[in-house]
Amino acid sequence: MTSPRLLVLFDLDGTLVDPAGAITGGIRSALTACGLPQPSEADLFRMVGPSLVTSLREIAGVPQDRLEAVIRHYRQGYRQTGMAQSRPYPGIQELVEKLRTEHTVAVATQKPEHLAMDLLGVQGMGTLFASVHGSPADEQAAAALDGKAGIIRAALDRHAGSYNRAVMIGDRRHDCEGAAANGIDCIGVSWGFAAAGELEAAGAAVVVDTAEELADAVLAYAQNGAALNGSV
């Protein structure tokens, strides 16, 4: 019996790609360059997942009139060195290559869409996805939108009619919440930036620890409409 065709949506940083300190270190460097105080290490980790503007405002406490300068410093450093520092998580590229032979695989990230596409290209993954969905280039304007929910909705709309079921895969509560807002499940991955218990509390259907467990969970979802493997 043929499994239903899935639309598999992947988050980017913390799910597909390990930023390897490029995000947290880049934020720290940008704040220093602008003469602003440093968040704690725990707060820097919390800043991976939401939009950059939201993180800078709500976690780092950057004043509105300093946001543009901090973002400019951060993006300059990220383009120069951060993309190259990042690495796909073990087994992830192979998993995507396998999934795309039978299912539609796309990216849904709060990173600006053009930067997401650039990062995937640098990492040799630019041709693996049917589409890439992210935030608008104007990051301050993007912060006023509905975050991950709208990005996931854009991916669902883009591929409407080509799948029977859809599932989000991500490492933060924003992935779970955005998926729920669109009536789909989220499979959580433990190798990203979520605090202990965050994904479970946000309603992840299942939380997996390795790419192999993720493959099993996606297969179970394709066959049964539920991610049956992994641990919750």
Side-chain angles (χ1 to χ4, degrees):
M1 180 178 176
T2 303
S3 297
R5 187 171 180 87
L6 281 180
L7 172 59
V8 186
L9 302 177
F10 280 93
D11 176 49
L12 184 49
D13 293 309
T15 301
L16 288 171
V17 173
D18 180 358
I23 295 178
T24 55
I27 291 172
R28 186 186 292 111
S29 177
L31 292 171
T32 297
C34 294
L36 295 168
Q38 298 289 319
S40 67
E41 194 69 20
D43 279 345
L44 282 169
F45 269 66
R46 289 174 56 215
M47 294 175 76
V48 183
S51 71
L52 179 61
V53 170
T54 298
S55 290
L56 291 174
R57 282 176 179 162
E58 298 181 5
I59 300 175
V62 175
Q64 180 64 38
D65 62 353
R66 309 294 297 279
L67 273 174
E68 184 177 348
V70 175
I71 292 170
R72 183 172 63 252
H73 277 283
Y74 172 78
R75 291 302 180 202
Q76 181 179 18
Y78 186 72
R79 283 190 173 280
Q80 289 176 345
T81 61
M83 289 187 187
Q85 290 174 7
S86 303
R87 292 289 183 272
Y89 285 102
I92 282 294
Q93 184 164 343
E94 295 79 5
L95 172 59
V96 172
E97 289 171 347
K98 180 179 179 180
L99 288 175
R100 69 193 293 265
T101 64
E102 296 184 11
H103 304 290
T104 302
V105 186
V107 171
T109 173
Q110 291 201 77
K111 185 186 290 295
E113 192 169 294
H114 68 287
L115 287 179
M117 296 176 72
D118 288 348
L119 174 59
L120 289 167
V122 168
Q123 296 302 319
M125 301 175 72
T127 62
L128 295 184
F129 300 95
S131 61
V132 177
H133 305 269
S135 297
D138 184 341
E139 296 188 58
Q140 295 205 49
L145 304 177
D146 58 351
K148 202 60 176 269
I151 293 166
I152 292 173
R153 185 165 57 251
L156 296 174
D157 290 346
R158 166 67 175 77
H159 297 285
S162 67
Y163 60 91
N164 307 97
R165 297 171 181 156
V167 65
M168 180 71 203
I169 299 170
D171 71 306
R172 294 298 312 276
R173 64 176 178 82
H174 314 87
D175 301 304
C176 298
E177 293 165 355
N182 285 281
I184 67 173
D185 284 333
C186 181
I187 299 173
V189 300
S190 66
W191 54 77
F193 291 86
E198 175 182 323
L199 291 165
E200 293 86 349
V206 65
V207 179
V208 299
D209 299 322
T210 65
E212 291 76 15
E213 288 185 6
L214 178 56
D216 290 342
V218 174
L219 176 60
Y221 201 87
Q223 293 176 337
N224 306 294
L228 301 178
N229 297 320
S231 57
V232 292

